[in-house]
Amino acid sequence: MLTINVAVLLAFIVFLRLRRRTQSRSRFDEKMTVVIVLALGIILAPTDVGQGIASFLGQLVSGVSQAGQ
């Protein structure tokens, strides 16, 4: 039986939706993309991958803010 990781499926859907041209999107389409991205974030946040991404982004922001001083 084939199993599909929901996070991978949502990431693929986000990738496909963001590849489309901005001018051809309706308001509903943009709102739907935001909802899908939020759902992906909620799914990834408590996982080890999500914690790693959060840690990496925190270090990146810290480095950028220290470089600006």
Side-chain angles (χ1 to χ4, degrees):
M1 182 174 182
L2 177 68
T3 60
I4 298 174
N5 188 341
V6 175
V8 173
L9 180 63
L10 283 176
F12 181 71
I13 291 171
V14 167
F15 175 75
L16 290 178
R17 292 180 73 87
L18 292 178
R19 286 188 55 211
R20 293 185 17 201
R21 292 183 28 182
T22 305
Q23 292 84 5
S24 64
R25 293 185 190 161
S26 66
R27 283 189 187 267
F28 177 76
D29 194 31
E30 289 178 353
K31 288 178 185 178
M32 198 62 173
T33 301
V34 169
V35 168
I36 292 171
V37 169
L38 286 174
L40 178 62
I42 290 169
I43 290 173
L44 284 181
T47 64
D48 291 337
V49 173
Q51 296 300 319
I53 292 170
S55 174
F56 171 75
L57 290 176
Q59 291 175 357
L60 182 67
V61 169
S62 175
V64 169
S65 66
Q66 287 177 0
Q69 293 179 355

